[in-house]
Amino acid sequence: MFTRLFTCLGVALLAVAVARPSLAQQLPAPQGAPSERRIAPAKRIAAAPVIDGVLDDSAWQDAPVINGFVQADPFEGMPASEDTEVRVVYDATAVYIGVRLLDRDPSQIVTTDTRRDSDLARQDSFQMVFDTFHDLQNGFVFGTNSAGIEYDAQIRNLGEPNADWDSSWEVRTHIGDGEWVAEFRVPLRTLRYAAPPQRWGVNFRRHMPRARETSYWSPLQRIWGINRLSAAGQLSGLELPAPRNLKILPYVVGSANRDFSQRRPTSTNGDWGLDAKVGVTPSLNLDLSYNTDFAQVEVDTQQINLSRANIRFPEKRGFFLENSGLFRVGLGNELDLFFTRRIGINESGGLVPVVGGGRLSGRVGSVNVGVLNMQTDSVGINPGNNFTTARLSQEFGNRSNLGAIFVNKQATGDLAPSDDWNRTFGVDGALGLGDQVTVNGFLARTQTPGLTGREHAYNVNFGFQDDRHRALVEYGVTGEDFNPEVGFLQRTGGYRRIRMGLWETLRQDKIRSWGFREFLPHAWFRRHDRLDGGGLDAAEVHIDYYWDWENGTFLSTGLMGSWEGFESPFLIYPGVIIPPGEHGGYRFETELYSDRRKPVFGRVMWDVGRFLTGNQNSPTFQVTLRKSGNFTLDTTWEHRNITLPQGNFRTNLGNMRVTYNFTPLIFVQSLLQYNDRTERFSTNLRFHWLDTAATGLFLVYNDTESMDGLGPVNRAFVVKYVRQFDLFN
């Protein structure tokens, strides 16, 4: 079986290699090597501008103009088709950025969403990144669209921007004759930076979806994004004082809840709590929380799991999302040494009261520091737990870094037995070789009372990427008793893991003459083997071709393969048991997207072929409707038809998300979900009237109905109000 698998992988890689010489010459490379790093001047001002989206204040009149944007896409290295002018000024309290985005036809501006932190990738937008310690790996991103939304994100170790980070700042926009304007005010206490004289890394990004054009002030290759801080320019002329930062965020909450499954009457409850943000130094912040509450957070999008692997649901709670990248060590969705959903959420998804805690994060000298401690309360016979995480890391030149992490979970209180604890130790690092090669990995060990087997895990990754090619090879081992109880482990039981892959991007004149923007053939293979010669645990092969049309249509056609090795019978569905042995095979998968810039967008995915001991025929349909960036209706239906010798079954999973944005800070959203595996229909309604980031008025209604008997299971209504008091503003 695996001889054929490797043969298919080899054929795909050979096809990519053979195709390359027959294609026309690449487009010109971008200008601006690191040795020619661009300099953007910032000017100190005496009077702050009024943030109104009009650059008529005296502060802007003599400010140096930053321009000369260069395309990364579609014509890499060519001047941007429309000019963009940026001005940066500052005073003792904030940095101000004024932007003029020239546009020959403002009627063609695309706005797909007007809600705070909405995705800017497919709408006219402007973003900037500040590498405030100039370590070339970490930064703060701020952006907006023509409607004036607030988008902010954090970058850690050159990773993708994490838009879950929220901070307090402001922006106003205005669409005029032949341009649109954005005016930003970013308070110094929102950022962390070193003592003067400061030298920041900086870059600016403009996206114009009508031409699918992306341009940067500091030129980048198309394969990189704004997170490529090693290629950013520099912001000069800064002499920023140390900001004083003390914010108190008290909240009050009231709720009404009725549990119909237990035939209980409606219960009501009122409570209060508070958070605090304290600037210890300009580069170190302390976040405190008492009686932590997350009532306003959207519920999880349901999934149906037909495998032995654990499902990872994303963290959505604001307190844990802030600076989360600092604590991230592992393989993401496969293995994570610290996963904050283990705090305050039990294994069945139920909430556990969080008494409170704190997080100290930032820099001490050149070292990144993060310490988090949280305490949960006891529930019934289950004791409370104390969670402690400590993290240190340091960046070095050329995308290299080294770090260590410690995680501890300890049961507390009278109900806690003496052996109810768990610890994780880990080190991780990355080594950049030239501009194209990166080697990274981690080594970890856990300690759990009663476990005596191998409690270690490690992984090494070798990656290569240039403007046309990307390749990786990974190898790792996870011991059978490796048990990060405050982390995430997709597969348990111990295994050796190998992964390899190759991606090719073809974007030559010949490809474009066929109506395509690019063609992306790729192949990868992953296999998990049980330790000590125990045989196959799981394996996957993926051979795919992406076709990207200039008009925004996208098609993926691929040959997939998956295999599972069962040591014991596996109950996959009520009455359907998979016998021991190795089961699986190849299947065909295709996915078609229409133009996602349009008011109506559709997606169809079809998965047909082998599934364990039998076959599957599994379509997924998605339709999205938009109107003026204010109204969005997004609905998805996933159907799986499984035919096995042990029995046939079908599953259906549907959801519909409807959003109406009154302003960028006021919106109402509903999430309707249907799951025939649990025979439940659920509704989550949320109204948010934001003041600043994560503060304001929140109304939430949750309703779960049983489809077996058409009766209610649970209904709850929550009102929450959070107010921010900025004591130094």
Side-chain angles (χ1 to χ4, degrees):
M1 176 184 68
F2 289 102
T3 300
R4 289 182 296 162
L5 186 151
F6 279 109
T7 300
C8 291
L9 181 59
V11 169
L13 302 185
L14 181 61
V16 170
V18 172
R20 289 173 50 195
S22 63
L23 296 170
Q25 187 177 0
Q26 284 278 77
L27 293 168
Q31 304 167 353
S35 60
E36 303 167 348
R37 197 175 302 278
R38 287 188 166 188
I39 306 296
K43 180 183 178 183
R44 178 183 287 275
I45 55 175
V50 177
I51 306 302
D52 55 6
V54 181
L55 304 182
D56 57 356
D57 302 273
S58 59
W60 303 118
Q61 303 310 309
D62 298 324
V65 178
I66 304 164
N67 53 15
F69 280 54
V70 177
Q71 289 187 47
D73 197 15
F75 301 112
E76 187 176 296
M78 301 298 290
S81 62
E82 298 279 7
D83 290 336
T84 304
E85 298 178 353
V86 183
R87 293 169 172 84
V88 180
V89 298
Y90 67 94
D91 59 18
T93 62
V95 176
Y96 307 87
I97 303 91
V99 189
R100 294 182 64 232
L101 303 104
L102 303 185
D103 196 314
R104 296 181 182 90
D105 188 2
S107 67
Q108 298 299 310
I109 289 175
V110 176
T111 302
T112 61
D113 204 332
T114 58
R115 183 161 52 98
R116 192 187 202 278
D117 274 335
S118 61
D119 186 7
L120 298 177
R122 293 180 180 87
Q123 50 187 327
D124 280 87
S125 60
F126 175 84
Q127 294 182 53
M128 54 193 166
V129 61
F130 295 132
D131 175 4
T132 55
F133 290 99
H134 205 247
D135 58 24
L136 309 183
Q137 298 192 49
N138 305 290
F140 301 92
V141 179
F142 302 92
T144 192
N145 62 3
S146 60
I149 73 165
E150 296 175 6
Y151 172 89
D152 48 21
Q154 276 183 317
I155 295 172
R156 298 290 311 179
N157 296 331
L158 295 176
E160 289 299 315
N162 177 16
D164 294 317
W165 174 71
D166 285 325
S167 60
S168 297
W169 54 284
E170 57 183 314
V171 62
R172 295 292 184 272
T173 59
H174 173 74
I175 300 177
D177 184 16
E179 67 178 16
W180 66 280
V181 176
E183 193 173 19
F184 297 80
R185 180 182 186 271
V186 181
L188 297 182
R189 58 185 176 277
T190 292
L191 305 168
R192 293 196 300 272
Y193 51 87
Q198 289 94 2
R199 183 178 60 161
W200 290 6
V202 68
N203 208 350
F204 307 103
R205 174 188 185 271
R206 180 179 181 178
H207 183 62
M208 296 179 58
R210 81 196 70 166
R212 298 180 63 186
E213 178 182 317
T214 301
S215 59
Y216 293 90
W217 168 70
S218 183
L220 291 176
Q221 290 183 320
R222 177 188 48 78
I223 58 172
W224 307 122
I226 199 169
N227 58 321
R228 188 72 171 181
L229 295 172
S230 56
Q234 294 180 7
L235 188 63
S236 65
L238 295 174
E239 292 283 344
L240 302 175
R244 296 185 300 169
N245 185 18
L246 178 56
K247 300 187 184 79
I248 306 296
L249 296 88
Y251 79 84
V252 292
V253 61
S255 64
N257 181 81
R258 184 172 182 182
D259 189 344
F260 291 88
S261 64
Q262 301 296 324
R263 297 184 178 181
R264 293 175 178 171
T266 301
S267 62
T268 58
N269 184 45
D271 210 344
W272 68 276
L274 61 85
D275 294 340
K277 293 180 177 293
V278 183
V280 180
T281 71
S283 60
L284 197 63
N285 283 350
L286 175 64
D287 294 277
L288 301 171
S289 181
Y290 169 72
N291 199 20
T292 316
D293 177 82
F294 305 106
Q296 73 273 26
V297 175
E298 183 186 56
V299 299
D300 290 321
T301 302
Q302 297 183 29
Q303 301 180 49
I304 295 178
N305 189 7
L306 298 180
S307 72
R308 295 171 299 161
N310 297 316
I311 293 180
R312 174 171 172 146
F313 290 95
E315 176 64 88
K316 298 181 180 181
R317 299 170 296 173
F319 182 86
F320 294 114
L321 288 170
E322 187 167 350
N323 296 317
S324 60
L326 173 62
F327 297 94
R328 191 170 297 127
V329 180
L331 292 172
N333 290 334
E334 289 193 48
L335 188 157
D336 206 341
L337 300 188
F338 178 57
F339 184 37
T340 52
R341 278 185 65 106
R342 302 302 185 208
I343 303 173
I345 301 177
N346 60 30
E347 293 182 359
S348 62
L351 299 181
V352 177
V354 178
V355 177
R359 175 184 56 239
L360 182 69
S361 61
R363 283 204 180 208
V364 176
S366 62
V367 179
N368 300 304
V369 176
V371 180
L372 181 144
N373 184 272
M374 300 296 292
Q375 177 68 45
T376 61
D377 208 348
S378 60
V379 178
I381 62 172
N382 298 311
N385 283 281
N386 183 264
F387 301 85
T388 300
T389 302
R391 170 74 164 149
L392 298 174
S393 70
Q394 182 164 359
E395 288 80 22
F396 303 98
N398 199 30
R399 311 185 319 279
S400 301
N401 58 74
L402 182 65
I405 191 171
F406 168 72
V407 185
N408 184 74
K409 174 188 174 184
Q410 178 75 55
T412 58
D414 297 336
L415 299 174
S418 59
D419 61 349
D420 190 352
W421 55 268
N422 176 263
R423 298 188 184 109
T424 300
F425 308 85
V427 294
D428 68 308
L431 176 64
L433 303 174
D435 292 331
Q436 300 165 341
V437 177
T438 303
V439 181
N440 57 51
F442 73 90
L443 171 64
R445 186 180 188 276
T446 61
Q447 293 180 341
T448 308
L451 297 183
T452 58
R454 285 165 286 202
E455 297 181 274
H456 66 270
Y458 64 84
N459 192 83
V460 178
N461 174 303
F462 172 90
F464 170 88
Q465 185 168 6
D466 65 13
D467 60 340
R468 287 185 57 184
H469 321 95
R470 182 164 71 95
L472 69 81
V473 177
E474 289 184 2
Y475 179 77
V477 172
T478 300
E480 68 275 11
D481 281 342
F482 182 71
N483 180 37
E485 291 187 7
V486 197
F488 178 81
L489 193 58
Q490 186 182 59
R491 291 185 173 274
T492 59
Y495 54 82
R496 288 184 174 86
R497 173 185 181 274
I498 185 171
R499 185 185 180 208
M500 60 184 69
L502 178 62
W503 292 257
E504 180 87 353
T505 300
L506 306 179
R507 184 178 272 227
Q508 293 81 359
D509 293 338
K510 184 68 172 178
I511 296 294
R512 300 176 68 88
S513 70
W514 296 341
F516 296 101
R517 168 162 290 209
E518 61 186 12
F519 172 47
L520 297 92
H522 60 277
W524 58 262
F525 167 72
R526 177 172 57 202
R527 178 180 172 112
H528 296 76
D529 284 296
R530 285 186 287 271
L531 300 176
D532 301 328
L536 172 72
D537 184 66
E540 291 181 90
V541 64
H542 179 107
I543 303 172
D544 206 344
Y545 302 88
Y546 289 174
W547 302 86
D548 185 3
W549 276 267
E550 283 289 355
N551 64 10
T553 303
F554 177 89
L555 175 66
S556 166
T557 57
L559 176 67
M560 316 298 176
S562 59
W563 294 263
E564 293 277 347
F566 296 93
E567 292 185 293
S568 58
F570 173 61
L571 178 65
I572 192 172
Y573 192 83
V576 181
I577 300 176
I578 305 298
E582 295 184 8
H583 309 297
Y586 294 98
R587 68 187 190 276
F588 177 76
E589 183 179 278
T590 184
E591 190 168 14
L592 176 66
Y593 290 83
S594 67
D595 187 351
R596 283 169 280 188
R597 299 168 297 179
K598 301 297 185 182
V600 180
F601 152 70
R603 176 176 70 97
V604 177
M605 185 175 72
W606 217 290
D607 206 341
V608 180
R610 194 70 178 168
F611 179 78
L612 296 178
T613 58
N615 297 286
Q616 69 169 323
N617 185 357
S618 303
T620 299
F621 304 96
Q622 180 183 1
V623 176
T624 302
L625 308 177
R626 302 188 186 98
K627 182 177 174 57
S628 304
N630 296 103
F631 173 79
T632 302
L633 185 152
D634 187 356
T635 183
T636 302
W637 190 271
E638 177 184 322
H639 174 75
R640 302 193 71 176
N641 185 2
I642 309 297
T643 304
L644 306 174
Q646 295 78 26
N648 305 330
F649 62 91
R650 300 178 181 180
T651 67
N652 291 280
L653 183 64
N655 66 70
M656 177 184 292
R657 182 178 280 104
V658 182
T659 305
Y660 188 83
N661 306 313
F662 300 94
T663 74
L665 298 177
I666 305 174
F667 73 91
V668 60
Q669 184 179 82
S670 67
L671 175 60
L672 312 178
Q673 301 189 83
Y674 169 71
N675 185 338
D676 70 355
R677 183 69 178 84
T678 60
E679 297 185 322
R680 293 287 190 270
F681 177 85
S682 64
T683 303
N684 172 238
L685 299 175
R686 298 185 301 144
F687 173 77
H688 287 196
W689 188 325
L690 300 178
D691 181 17
T692 62
T695 67
L697 175 66
F698 306 92
L699 307 178
V700 182
Y701 173 72
N702 290 309
D703 181 13
T704 301
E705 302 282 336
S706 172
M707 305 306 293
D708 182 13
L710 300 177
V713 177
N714 182 271
R715 290 174 181 165
F717 179 71
V718 178
V719 180
K720 181 178 179 180
Y721 181 71
V722 186
R723 179 68 182 274
Q724 175 178 288
F725 294 93
D726 191 338
L727 302 187
F728 290 135
N729 184 19

